[in-house]
Amino acid sequence: MTEAAMTSGNGLSLRVHARRMLTETVCEFDLRRSDGGPLPAFEAGSSLIVQTPSSERRNYSLCNDDRERHRYVIAVKREATSRGGSRSMHDEAHEGVVFEVELARNGLRAGQGRRHLLVAGGIGITPMMSLLRRLARDPLNAFRLLYLARSRAEAPYAEELARMGLGNALTFHFSAEHGGRRLDVRPMLKDNGTGTHLYYCGPGRLMYSIGMSSIHWPRIHVHFEQFSSLAGTRAGDEAFTVKQASTGRIFEVGGNETILDSLRREGLKPEASCESGTCGKCRMTLVAGEADHRDMYLAPEDRPSSIMPCVSRSVGGAELELDF
Ligand code: FES
């Protein structure tokens, strides 16, 4: 890699080489170096932190084959409630636009084993794509992908998956073709006695349902990727302050920004990766105050003394004192 392609830290400056609409609301971006040079290798299931044209940092799953070195491919759903990230990608990341990206931690690392069950809901297919390609190229792997969406037209990569020749390993369930009925995945998760690894990603309702139904599975066999429905801010969130324990410095956190956003606005560079409350990288010690925990990482016993500032906030707008 030449110096020209690198930015500060682990960042890269990449150009939108091509983009195409996968569905009415999901756009795929093919990102490459301007000089066509090779990119750092990535692991199947991992994701990319993108600085959108509107200068927000967003985490998107890498969808292409992990053996490819000439490009990173991501797919972005335009969220109706977008505060700017996905909207900016759709409206401003045209071909030729250059922005900063950074490889994030591995989101859905393939488990040590030969049996794999993947469940994707809608845009939740994106972290499965590179993982699936990797699993499919080893004939010793037994895997199954269950892909749930409202309709084929709203299911990104449905056609590509159908062309992959996965046979019985691929099951679609389009609720529009079943009178609007969603598939009940719970019976499939009842028995975990085969050493199967479970991977899942999708809307909150699906995440909750699978999470609860697989609670008896060994934790090392369960892998999930939480999308931004849990992340960031929600309508009605209150502003609050964060006090830095070591210095007493006060940081204002607006109602439409996260603690990490606020620290960055003030010039700090807090550790973070997924920015969706799942990886654990941004963990801080909660010294005082009551946190509104929105992550899926901390165990109940850790919550009184820790916080994930990428998603969590204060209860009722009261001050939080954090060690960072
Ligand atoms: S950055 Fe991953 S949990 Fe906060």
Side-chain angles (χ1 to χ4, degrees):
M1 167 155 316
T2 66
E3 289 294 313
M6 300 294 296
T7 65
S8 57
N10 299 319
L12 293 161
S13 214
L14 297 188
R15 184 172 170 275
V16 179
H17 174 77
R19 52 178 280 171
R20 63 175 175 136
M21 295 305 288
L22 300 175
T23 70
E24 241 178 54
T25 57
V26 178
C27 187
E28 180 191 80
F29 296 87
D30 175 335
L31 308 175
R32 304 187 185 193
R33 280 175 46 171
S34 295
D35 63 4
L39 295 167
F42 71 92
E43 200 168 348
S46 61
S47 57
L48 198 64
I49 298 170
V50 174
Q51 178 120 24
T52 70
S54 56
S55 294
E56 281 146 297
R57 281 163 63 89
R58 292 290 180 267
N59 201 313
Y60 298 114
S61 301
L62 285 157
C63 303
N64 53 317
D65 191 313
D66 62 315
R67 292 170 299 183
E68 292 184 346
R69 297 292 304 280
H70 65 296
R71 63 178 188 159
Y72 294 148
V73 175
I74 57 173
V76 180
K77 180 173 183 181
R78 180 193 281 271
E79 298 292 348
T81 56
S82 169
R83 290 181 294 125
S86 69
R87 196 173 55 209
S88 166
M89 289 297 288
H90 276 248
D91 295 345
E92 299 172 86
H94 303 297
E95 283 179 22
V97 166
V98 174
F99 45 75
E100 309 297 305
V101 307
E102 195 180 313
L103 279 178
R105 61 86 180 91
N106 194 324
L108 284 177
R109 181 188 295 268
Q112 297 292 319
R114 288 299 183 186
R115 303 175 73 90
H116 308 269
L117 171 62
L118 292 68
V119 186
I123 189 67
I125 192 64
T126 56
M128 305 293 174
M129 291 303 292
S130 60
L131 188 63
L132 187 72
R133 294 181 213 278
R134 195 199 135 184
L135 294 175
R137 67 179 183 248
D138 184 343
L140 293 179
N141 282 327
F143 64 90
R144 181 179 177 200
L145 169 65
L146 186 55
Y147 186 6
L148 319 174
R150 201 162 19 215
S151 67
R152 186 175 290 273
E154 293 166 275
Y157 294 119
E159 297 310 324
E160 185 166 343
L161 286 164
R163 284 197 302 268
M164 281 172 76
L166 299 172
N168 292 337
L170 173 63
T171 304
F172 289 117
H173 180 92
F174 301 121
S175 56
E177 296 173 8
H178 298 269
R181 187 177 54 80
R182 291 190 174 91
L183 187 70
D184 184 1
V185 295
R186 288 172 298 180
M188 289 171 225
L189 303 172
K190 226 173 180 172
D191 179 16
N192 69 322
T194 56
T196 301
H197 282 263
L198 169 68
Y199 311 82
Y200 62 100
C201 183
R205 181 200 290 240
L206 180 74
M207 298 300 287
Y208 181 76
S209 169
I210 297 181
M212 296 312 287
S213 307
S214 61
I215 206 119
H216 57 296
W217 285 51
R219 289 297 91 190
I220 57 164
H221 283 192
V222 178
H223 318 263
F224 61 86
E225 182 79 349
Q226 182 74 50
F227 273 154
S228 54
S229 51
L230 264 195
T233 58
R234 301 172 189 163
D237 277 342
E238 294 179 69
F240 61 101
T241 54
V242 164
K243 182 176 174 185
Q244 187 175 29
S246 56
T247 63
R249 186 174 168 190
I250 300 292
F251 296 84
E252 309 278 346
V253 183
N256 62 354
E257 65 178 352
T258 65
I259 297 174
L260 289 187
D261 290 336
S262 164
L263 300 187
R264 288 183 182 128
R265 183 165 44 72
E266 295 300 321
L268 273 65
K269 293 192 171 148
E271 292 262 349
S273 180
C274 70
E275 310 224 5
S276 60
T278 56
C279 74
K281 184 115 187 235
C282 68
R283 183 172 179 163
M284 290 180 181
T285 299
L286 174 60
V287 178
E290 191 181 352
D292 173 6
H293 292 287
R294 299 181 177 183
D295 64 280
M296 292 187 69
Y297 180 83
L298 291 172
E301 60 271 24
D302 294 330
R303 297 193 165 216
S305 58
S306 294
I307 186 170
M308 312 311 295
C310 61
V311 290
S312 297
R313 311 180 65 78
S314 88
V315 171
E319 184 169 281
L320 297 178
E321 186 173 344
L322 308 180
D323 198 5
F324 55 89

